[in-house]
Amino acid sequence: MTQTVATTTPARVAGAPLDRQTKRRIIIASTVGTTIEFYDFYAYATAAVAVFPYLFFPKNQDPTVGLLASFATFGLAFVARPLGSVLFGHFGDRIGRKATLVGSLLTMGIATFLIGLLPTYAQAGVAAPAMLALMRFGQGLGLGGEWSGAALLATETAEKGKRAWAAMWPQLGAPFGFLAANGLFLVLVTILGHKNGETTGDFMTWGWRIPFLLSAVMVLVGLYVRFKLEETPVFAHAVDTGKKVSTPLTEVFKTSWKPLIIGTFVMVACYTLFYLVTTWILSYGIGKRENGGLGIAYIQFLKLQLISIFAFIAGIPLSGWLADKFGRRRILLVVSIIMIGFGFTFPIFLAPSTATTNTVLAFLTIGMFIMGLIFGPMSAVLPELYPTNVRYTGSGIAYNVSSILGAAIAPFVATWLVKHHGVGSVGIYLVTVTIISLLAILAMPETKDHDMTQI
């Protein structure tokens, strides 16, 4: 296997300038792949609020209970993601980044496509939510290996001094995927018609399946792009120098346990913020006022989210540029302080007695922009914490364990907090988690000038 990888080693050395064709190919491969992965993930997140509580769980229960049950299956993927990072990380550090990226994309795509074919609770009883949970687990397994592979593809081929800028391209897959998934749901709801809580009509009967089934087309596009990739020069260097390890998981816990802890907690607040301003806010925004929500029409709320996502897109390249200019640590510290301030504004924007569509849009836009600023440098920060021979595994574990601590429980916790303590308590929850990440950032070394070929 070592010989096979070595024969495909590109002549270019790590940090050398890229020719235009190679640069374009890497940008497309890292961005398109993560766009597809996040599209699949967000399609589920949207359906977890508007579709699954009504079609995949018993109807004779409290609406909040149905929503919490749906969020539980949503969170299941985050349990699977660390397992995916271990599985795909093993192959990514053993046989290379390219082949592993193809495998992660296929895993995610197949699971998402099958969701579009599942029977509902009325058709299959308890087997329906069980199959939904299984497919959700498959989604998480694939995404667990996807992000770190795309991040390594970008960072390990980046030009010297431009690593954070290069690494921001896979990060753009998050808002692009969100835009595609929610945009498609908006089109379907507009054409087929749908009101909050409806269980009949064309959208709830068959229309909701279309975003999941269309993922098959997107996966084929992603596979075509990724099959044209070459192995990264950094990994090729590790192969040529005989520095690969046989068990990356064991090695990363033996030699890089501190970066694992630091990297995990650096990401926690980032994840918490994102799933508060995407998944939880959707359920809170379209929830009926008698159930503690804001009572905004589903189609109107989707429009607000689609407008605000452009603030997310704007924040990512800005933070990538700033991270190359001023360093990763300084940027993350400043943005974390801004996030703490944002947490105290939840009652101002979202209190049921005073909230309007304009205040909700302002909340979403500010939150998304902050999200872009904190998320943008992460695909450089986490890979830079680890040596080459365990980088795929280490960055993947940190990224995905933080997803359990930050994202998997965020919608569930926030829904419970609103019901018992009001919307202001959700902001305090964000403040608390951000302080934890702030401490991890203070403990993190500056990695701006880190040598990526280091073993």
Side-chain angles (χ1 to χ4, degrees), residues 82-311:
L83 298 178
S85 66
V86 171
L87 173 65
F88 290 105
H90 175 83
F91 293 108
D93 285 327
R94 287 286 298 145
I95 67 173
R97 317 320 193 192
K98 174 182 174 178
T100 308
L101 279 167
V102 170
S104 65
L105 184 62
L106 276 173
T107 302
M108 182 80 172
I110 291 172
T112 304
F113 179 78
L114 291 177
I115 288 174
L117 300 176
L118 291 179
T120 64
Y121 185 86
Q123 297 167 325
V126 294
M131 288 186 286
L132 180 65
L134 181 62
M135 294 304 102
R136 183 59 175 166
F137 188 88
Q139 278 191 316
L141 203 66
L143 188 54
E146 165 60 29
W147 178 87
S148 50
L152 266 58
L153 173 64
T155 56
E156 292 186 346
T157 57
E159 298 177 36
K160 186 177 180 180
K162 298 181 179 180
R163 199 156 56 220
W165 177 261
M168 68 92 184
W169 289 105
Q171 301 300 79
L172 283 172
F176 288 168
F178 185 91
L179 193 63
N182 277 27
L184 182 53
F185 268 99
L186 176 60
V187 170
L188 290 170
V189 168
T190 302
I191 294 175
L192 301 178
H194 177 67
K195 293 182 180 179
N196 301 349
E198 280 186 345
T199 58
T200 58
D202 289 340
F203 176 75
M204 293 297 281
T205 302
W206 56 269
W208 67 270
R209 299 179 183 274
I210 293 176
F212 296 97
L213 298 176
L214 282 180
S215 68
V217 178
M218 300 180 71
V219 167
L220 290 176
V221 174
L223 290 174
Y224 173 78
V225 174
R226 289 189 170 182
F227 274 125
K228 288 181 170 292
L229 292 176
E230 294 180 327
E231 191 52 79
T232 72
V234 172
F235 181 78
H237 174 76
V239 172
D240 291 342
T241 54
K243 298 297 184 180
K244 289 195 306 177
V245 293
S246 57
T247 54
L249 180 62
T250 302
E251 186 70 15
V252 75
F253 279 103
K254 179 181 178 182
T255 63
S256 302
W257 59 271
K258 286 185 179 179
L260 278 178
I261 296 173
I262 292 173
T264 297
F265 285 101
V266 163
M267 277 292 302
V268 165
C270 176
Y271 261 124
T272 302
L273 172 64
F274 186 64
Y275 282 89
L276 288 180
V277 298
T278 55
T279 304
W280 166 75
I281 191 61
L282 175 61
S283 66
Y284 178 70
I286 70 174
K288 296 179 180 179
R289 286 191 173 272
E290 56 266 31
N291 294 329
L294 298 181
I296 300 173
Y298 177 54
I299 189 170
Q300 186 177 13
F301 202 92
L302 280 180
K303 292 177 181 177
L304 298 180
Q305 285 191 307
L306 290 173
I307 293 171
S308 67
I309 202 68
F310 289 98

Side-chain angles (χ1 to χ4, degrees), residues 410-429:
F412 191 96
V413 170
T415 300
W416 186 89
L417 285 173
V418 168
K419 186 171 184 177
H420 293 87
H421 302 288
V423 72
S425 62
V426 181
I428 299 302
Y429 169 52

Side-chain angles (χ1 to χ4, degrees), residues 387-411:
T388 304
N389 56 4
V390 296
R391 185 171 293 136
Y392 205 125
T393 302
S395 61
I397 291 175
Y399 183 82
N400 290 297
V401 170
S402 68
S403 75
I404 297 178
L405 302 176
I409 64 172

Side-chain angles (χ1 to χ4, degrees), residues 10-81:
R12 195 178 69 85
V13 297
L18 293 162
D19 64 81
R20 183 174 298 180
Q21 182 181 10
T22 302
K23 182 183 293 186
R24 182 170 60 247
R25 185 174 295 168
I26 290 170
I27 289 173
I28 293 174
S30 60
T31 307
V32 168
T34 52
T35 298
I36 295 169
E37 298 284 356
F38 282 103
Y39 165 87
D40 292 351
F41 218 65
Y42 298 150
Y44 190 101
T46 301
V49 173
V51 177
F52 297 151
Y54 308 101
L55 297 186
F56 281 84
F57 298 95
K59 296 180 181 179
N60 58 341
Q61 61 182 5
D62 182 272
T64 302
V65 175
L67 180 62
L68 290 174
S70 183
F71 278 155
T73 63
F74 174 77
L76 183 62
F78 293 97
V79 178
R81 284 170 66 162

